[in-house]
């Protein structure tokens, strides 16, 4: 049983890994899955599988009356769209928790939100709306880290004003007649914000990765990808036709081993040197809440003459004293990262993404990237939303809104994580990451946790297989600067209550409650002793 890849990792504030490369404490925890919990989780899946096959057998003999999952008569002559396992998993696992997923909201995704109430009379295969609204639900699921996804304030006012002047759509690509002056201003502002020579923007964050990586690498190139990279990075790497090798998550020994092998052995069969070696990593890993060990990655990249592609989708705006991402968080030089990528969908409350770096690379992408050549230009109000929020973060709007929200997000993150640890939950990730995964493990508890939290007017996101390993289902909280201490306390009280109800407090490492947050090893207590 493979459990050892999840270990409890704790660095004290005095002895960070590779201390000479780090200017601040680097504390992450990945507590090992308890053996009993792992066994019960596998047993749960086994029971679901057995009963699923039993129901299919009974359905074939017309004994089972529920035929919702049966193949329709008119579809039997067609080739199945899905593999047998995918159908089986959807019928017997996914539908059981579908009521807590894809919930429609009818308000701004701020610190609180309104949900449309719905019910199902056919085991979550279809839903009916009751017409009632569940109001003032505390939002712990949206990526609204700095709270700029709002319908009032300077960003909303600027977006509304620009809509009246430019309209909503551009109806052309940047290469033709869809290049507005606001696009040009945004790219200059983004380059200045990131501290690089040049930047270019795209209308879709996912396509920023999947369509630009193939323009940067190709046959004869090697991509070294973290095992937990986002699907957009994985797809972009596959589309590039480069050779892909995967290293263990945030494991510098694994990455260095692959780099050495690449340099020594070269390409398969011919053993010629690789044309290019590109390392793909993320700033914050959205399912783990971990932060890339960027100082060590840059050191390895320089040592072995590789290129570095950094995806800051979740970290830009959410990390660093100036909100400029993981590079700012570690106090590094942006020029040490060859390709800076990020999205405007999280901290900026908008849509789209960017690629930034040297002017020579950006000029090349303008004519070779499929996203730049074929995609419709970014909508003017979306551009204005990004410009206004970015100026707020930089302090160029004449206020301290951006600075205050960056500081508030950091305080909220530290407080929320510390309280959950004290309660006895297993929490993954870095102490400074606003993405907070709380481990549920058992698939049945995904649905139970989501339903119980909603009864207490707390909106959460549950995540399971295939987005996570099969025994590592979790609830993922996203902290916002707009969350007040009262909101967080109310949410924590509900989580604590539901945790006791569902028996979710699996941690063997308890942090002793204290008024002062300490990163010293002495603040940890092994409850097995």
């Amino acid at each position: 049983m493979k459990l050892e890849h999840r270990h409890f990792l704790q660095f004290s504030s005095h002895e960070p890994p590779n201390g000479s490369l780090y200017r601040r404490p680097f504390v992450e925890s990945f507590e090992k899955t308890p053996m009993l919990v792992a066994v019960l989780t596998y047993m749960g899946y086994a029971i679901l599988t057995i009963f699923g096959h039993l129901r299919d057998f009974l359905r074939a003999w017309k004994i089972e009356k529920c035929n919702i999952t049966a193949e329709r008569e008119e579809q039997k002559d067609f080739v199945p769209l899905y593999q047998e396992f995918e159908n089986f998993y959807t019928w017997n696992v996914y539908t059981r928790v579908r009521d807590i997923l894809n919930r429609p909201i009818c308000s701004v995704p701020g610190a609180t939100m309104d949900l449309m109430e719905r019910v199902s009379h056919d085991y979550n295969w279809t839903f009916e709306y009751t017409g009632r609204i569940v109001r003032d639900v505390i939002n712990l699921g949206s990526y609204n880290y700095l709270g700029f996804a709002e319908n009032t304030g300077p960003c909303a006012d600027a977006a509304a004003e620009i809509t009246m002047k430019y309209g909503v759509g551009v109806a052309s690509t940047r290469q033709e007649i869809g290049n507005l002056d606001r696009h040009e201003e945004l790219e200059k502002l983004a380059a200045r914000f990131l501290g690089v020579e040049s930047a270019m923007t795209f209308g879709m964050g996912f396509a920023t990765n999947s369509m630009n990586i193939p323009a940067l690498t190709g046959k004869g190139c090697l991509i070294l990808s973290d095992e937990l990279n986002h699907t957009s990075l994985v797809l972009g790497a596959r589309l590039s036709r480069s050779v892909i090798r995967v290293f263990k998550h945030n494991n510098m020994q694994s990455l260095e081993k692959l780099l050495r092998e690449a340099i020594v052995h070269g390409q398969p069969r011919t053993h010629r040197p690789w044309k290019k070696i590109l390392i793909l990593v993320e700033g914050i890993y959205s399912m783990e809440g971990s932060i890339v060990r960027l100082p060590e990655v840059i050191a390895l990249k320089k040592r072995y003459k590789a290129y570095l592609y950094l995806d800051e989708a979740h970290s830009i705006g959410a990390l660093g004293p100036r909100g400029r991402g993981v590079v700012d968080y570690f106090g590094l030089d942006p020029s040490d990262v060859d390709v800076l990528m990020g999205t405007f969908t999280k901290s900026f409350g908008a849509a789209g993404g960017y690629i930034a770096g040297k002017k020579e690379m950006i000029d090349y992408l303008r004519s070779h990237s499929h996203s730049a050549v074929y995609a419709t230009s970014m909508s003017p109000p979306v551009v204005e939303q990004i410009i206004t929020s970015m100026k707020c973060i930089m302090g160029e709007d004449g206020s301290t809104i951006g600075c205050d929200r960056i500081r508030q997000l950091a305080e909220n993150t530290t407080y929320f994580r510390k309280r959950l640890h004290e309660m006895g939950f297993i929490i993954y990730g870095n102490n400074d990451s606003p993405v907070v995964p709380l481990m549920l493990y058992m698939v049945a508890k995904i649905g139970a946790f989501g339903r119980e939290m909603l009864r207490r007017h707390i909106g959460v996101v549950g995540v399971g297989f295939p987005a996570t390993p099969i025994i590592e289902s979790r609830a993922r909280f996203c902290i916002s600067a707009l969350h007040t201490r009262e909101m967080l306390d109310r949410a924590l009280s509900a989580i604590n209550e539901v945790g006791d109800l569902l028996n979710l407090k699996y941690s063997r490492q308890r942090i002793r409650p204290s008024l002062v947050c300490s990163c010293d090893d002495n603040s940890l207590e092994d409850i097995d002793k």
Side-chain angles (χ1 to χ4, degrees), residues 186-187 190 193-194 199-205 208 312-313 316 341-355 378 382-383 385-387 389-390:
L186 172 59
E187 291 179 343
F193 176 68
L194 297 167
M200 66 182 299
T201 57
F202 306 89
M204 182 181 180
T208 305
E312 292 223 64
I316 192 68
M341 177 271 172
T343 64
F344 301 120
T345 54
K346 283 85 176 176
S347 295
F348 301 94
Y354 66 82
I355 294 284
M378 191 182 293
V382 172
V383 173
Q385 165 77 20
I386 301 166
I387 290 174
S389 58
M390 192 174 290

Side-chain angles (χ1 to χ4, degrees), residues 206-267:
F206 190 97
T208 305
N209 277 331
S210 60
M211 294 289 100
N212 283 293
I213 294 175
L216 295 170
T217 65
K219 286 186 176 180
C221 298
L222 174 65
I223 290 178
L224 302 180
S225 178
D226 189 290
E227 66 178 344
L228 296 182
N229 274 341
H230 190 263
T231 305
S232 59
L233 290 169
V234 174
L235 178 60
R238 290 175 177 173
L239 292 175
S240 72
R241 298 181 297 171
S242 303
V243 174
I244 305 169
R245 291 176 184 161
V246 178
F247 61 91
K248 294 178 182 178
H249 175 56
N250 241 353
N251 189 314
M252 296 302 105
Q253 291 76 24
S254 177
L255 174 58
E256 184 168 18
K257 180 182 177 183
L258 291 179
L259 284 167
R260 283 179 176 174
E261 291 175 353
I263 298 299
V264 172
H265 299 296
Q267 299 184 41

Side-chain angles (χ1 to χ4, degrees), residues 150-167 182 380-389 391-392:
E150 49 194 353
N151 56 2
T152 59
C155 294
D157 294 341
E161 182 180 346
I162 214 71
T163 301
M164 299 303 295
K165 180 179 180 180
Y166 289 89
R182 306 307 291 168
V382 172
V383 173
E384 199 64 25
Q385 165 77 20
I386 301 166
I387 290 174
T388 309
S389 58
K391 285 183 176 179
C392 285

Side-chain angles (χ1 to χ4, degrees), residues 88-391:
F88 184 85
Y89 184 84
T90 300
W91 295 342
N92 295 284
V93 179
Y94 174 74
T95 53
R96 293 177 181 272
V97 296
R98 190 169 171 234
D99 58 306
I100 71 159
L101 306 170
N102 312 318
R103 288 186 182 129
I105 71 171
C106 51
S107 68
V108 172
T112 62
M113 59 186 175
D114 298 336
L115 298 179
M116 298 176 65
E117 187 181 69
R118 60 182 184 178
V119 296
S120 177
H121 304 292
D122 54 6
Y123 307 100
N124 291 342
W125 279 90
T126 60
F127 294 96
E128 294 179 5
Y129 294 102
T130 64
R132 290 191 291 271
I133 304 298
V134 184
R135 300 191 182 278
D136 297 324
V137 176
I138 295 177
N139 181 6
L140 290 179
S142 297
Y143 306 133
N144 192 16
Y145 298 129
L146 294 181
F148 286 116
E150 49 194 353
N151 56 2
T152 59
C155 294
D157 294 341
E161 182 180 346
I162 214 71
T163 301
M164 299 303 295
K165 180 179 180 180
Y166 289 89
V168 175
V170 181
S172 183
T173 68
R174 295 282 299 275
Q175 296 280 6
E176 296 169 338
I177 56 172
N179 189 31
L180 304 179
D181 56 344
R182 306 307 291 168
H183 293 134
E184 299 279 352
E185 180 179 345
L186 172 59
E187 291 179 343
K188 291 177 183 177
L189 182 66
R192 190 153 50 85
F193 176 68
L194 297 167
V196 295
E197 294 178 7
S198 186
M200 66 182 299
T201 57
F202 306 89
M204 182 181 180
F206 190 97
T208 305
N209 277 331
S210 60
M211 294 289 100
N212 283 293
I213 294 175
L216 295 170
T217 65
K219 286 186 176 180
C221 298
L222 174 65
I223 290 178
L224 302 180
S225 178
D226 189 290
E227 66 178 344
L228 296 182
N229 274 341
H230 190 263
T231 305
S232 59
L233 290 169
V234 174
L235 178 60
R238 290 175 177 173
L239 292 175
S240 72
R241 298 181 297 171
S242 303
V243 174
I244 305 169
R245 291 176 184 161
V246 178
F247 61 91
K248 294 178 182 178
H249 175 56
N250 241 353
N251 189 314
M252 296 302 105
Q253 291 76 24
S254 177
L255 174 58
E256 184 168 18
K257 180 182 177 183
L258 291 179
L259 284 167
R260 283 179 176 174
E261 291 175 353
I263 298 299
V264 172
H265 299 296
Q267 299 184 41
R269 293 190 299 275
T270 64
H271 299 293
R272 292 176 181 172
W274 295 98
K275 294 179 181 178
K276 194 182 299 178
I277 299 177
L278 181 66
I279 302 170
L280 297 183
V281 293
E282 296 185 44
I284 292 178
Y285 290 84
S286 59
M287 285 298 171
E288 308 300 309
S290 54
I291 297 176
V292 65
R293 300 178 186 279
L294 191 59
E296 297 176 71
V297 175
I298 289 177
L300 289 176
K301 165 237 172 186
K302 290 181 177 179
R303 185 182 308 165
Y304 293 98
K305 304 297 188 290
Y307 293 95
L308 176 58
Y309 185 110
L310 175 62
D311 179 346
E312 292 223 64
H314 286 267
S315 54
I316 192 68
L319 284 182
R322 301 178 300 163
R324 304 189 186 191
V326 71
V327 177
D328 184 34
Y329 175 79
F330 287 111
L332 302 173
D333 186 349
S335 64
D336 287 336
V337 180
D338 301 287
V339 187
L340 281 165
M341 177 271 172
T343 64
F344 301 120
T345 54
K346 283 85 176 176
S347 295
F348 301 94
Y354 66 82
I355 294 284
K358 293 184 178 179
K359 186 177 185 302
E360 181 183 4
M361 178 191 70
I362 300 301
D363 290 343
Y364 172 83
L365 286 176
R366 290 190 193 281
S367 58
H368 288 80
S369 167
H370 290 296
S371 283
V373 177
Y374 300 109
T376 303
S377 301
M378 191 182 293
S379 174
V382 172
V383 173
E384 199 64 25
Q385 165 77 20
I386 301 166
I387 290 174
T388 309
S389 58
M390 192 174 290
K391 285 183 176 179

